[in-house]
Amino acid sequence: MAAYQALSEAAFAKHPDTTTLPLPIAREIQEEVGRGFARGGPEMAETVERLPQVHGRYMLVRCHYPVTARPLPVLVYLHGGGWMWNSIYTHDRLIRSYAASSGLCAVAPDYSLSPDSRFPTAVEECVEFVRWLARRGAEWGLDASRLVIGGDSAGANLAVATALRLRDTGGPMPRGLLLNYGVYDSDLTRPSYRAYATGHMLTAAKMKLFWDAYAPTPEAKADPIASPLRADLAGLPPALMHVAELDVLHDENIAMAERLKAAGVATEITVYPGMLHGFLRALGHVRAAEDAVSQAGAWLKARVA
C-alpha cells in the first residue's frame, strides 16, 4: 500500500496541487493520473459505450460484457471522486475486474459532477438510469430484474441514496448494494477524521471541499439522502461493505454497517488492515485489492442467482 501511495503521489507531484487550481484544470489532472492507473486488468468479451436519454440529457454509459452470453445480470457501478471529479474511465480497471470476477455485465453511468450540478441531481440521474434499465435493458442484452448497485467513496453514497429513493418511490429495487469505503455523513468530526486527516491519500480538507461543492447548505448536508447514515435504512437490499482501515471515512463506515444491521439489512463488512482510501484502484499493485474484488465477485454471483 505504501509503495502504491508513493507511485500515486509521484504522479500527482508532476502537477500543481489540484485543490488550488480552477476546477476544469484540476479535473484534467485527476483524469490523466487516474486513467494511467486504470490500464491493464482483465479483457472483456465486449465493451460498448452508449448514450441513453436519462433525466433530460444524453448520459454516457460504458458497458463491460465479460462473456458473450445474453442476457446478463447487471452491476451498475458508480465511480468515486468526491462527486466532483474522476470518471467511468479512471475506474475502468476496477469496473472490468468486477465484471470478470462475477460474470455480471458491469455498467458505468457518467453521472453529473458537482459543483456544476449540486445535490440531488446526481442521485436523481442514477435513479432514472436504473428505471431506464428496468424498461429497456433487454435492448442491451441485460436482465435488469437481476441488478446490483455499487460504488466507491462518493459513488457508494450515491448507491445508497439511489436505493433509498427507489424504495420510497416504488422501485425497482436492486438485489444488493456493493459499498466500498463510502461517504455516509457530512459530520467531519469523527475520530478517524482526526487520525487520518493528512498523509493517507484522502484528506480531511478534501472532504470538506467535496461536501461544500456537492451540498453547499447546512440543510442539504443534513438531508438523509445526502447523508444516508441519518436515513431510515429499513427495507434496503443486502449489502457488502469493504472498508479501508487508514481512512478518514473509516468510522462512518463502521457506523453505517451497524445502522444497516440494526435496520434488519443483511450486511457483510470487511475492514482491510493497513489500507488507504481508494485501495481498490490499486489492482495490480496491492494484494488486498485483488482479494476484495474476488470476494465481491462471489457475493455478486450469489445476489443474482
Side-chain angles (χ1 to χ4, degrees), residues 9-225:
E9 290 176 349
F12 279 109
K14 298 174 184 178
H15 307 279
D17 180 1
T18 54
T19 62
T20 66
L21 295 172
L23 185 55
I25 300 173
R27 283 179 176 158
E28 183 179 337
I29 293 169
Q30 289 286 151
E31 191 72 14
E32 179 182 332
V33 173
R35 288 193 187 208
F37 284 105
R39 299 190 185 102
E43 294 186 6
M44 297 288 98
E46 184 180 14
T47 293
V48 183
E49 291 186 349
R50 296 184 168 101
L51 286 169
Q53 278 196 294
V54 176
H55 202 253
R57 72 176 180 92
Y58 287 101
M59 174 186 278
L60 176 63
V61 179
R62 192 165 170 82
C63 306
H64 295 293
Y65 297 85
V67 295
T68 56
R70 303 287 190 276
L72 287 177
V74 190
L75 169 64
V76 173
Y77 196 83
L78 307 171
H79 71 81
W83 309 282
M84 196 170 174
W85 49 50
N86 290 341
S87 73
I88 59 178
Y89 301 106
T90 60
H91 286 62
D92 191 71
R93 179 168 180 166
L94 174 59
I95 297 168
R96 282 185 285 111
S97 296
Y98 280 134
S101 68
S102 68
L104 278 67
C105 180
V107 176
D110 194 29
Y111 61 85
S112 294
L113 300 177
S114 296
D116 316 60
S117 299
R118 301 185 188 275
F119 172 80
T121 300
V123 178
E124 292 170 347
E125 289 180 349
C126 293
V127 169
E128 289 307 314
F129 178 62
V130 171
R131 288 178 174 152
W132 190 97
L133 283 179
R135 293 194 314 271
R136 302 184 60 179
E139 298 172 20
W140 294 2
L142 304 178
D143 178 1
S145 69
R146 296 188 292 155
L147 180 144
V148 175
I149 303 176
D152 58 281
S153 195
N157 171 287
L158 292 174
V160 177
T162 298
L164 287 169
R165 279 282 176 87
L166 290 168
R167 179 200 66 185
D168 294 342
T169 56
M173 288 298 289
R175 291 197 180 187
L177 294 171
L178 174 59
L179 306 175
N180 298 320
Y181 36 78
V183 184
Y184 302 120
D185 197 10
S186 56
D187 179 1
L188 312 186
T189 65
R190 289 184 172 84
S192 59
Y193 261 94
R194 297 191 294 274
Y196 310 118
T198 60
H200 296 83
M201 300 284 272
L202 177 63
T203 66
K206 275 189 178 176
M207 280 309 307
K208 183 179 186 307
L209 174 73
F210 294 152
W211 269 111
D212 288 345
Y214 179 59
T217 67
E219 294 77 14
K221 288 183 175 70
D223 190 301
I225 297 296

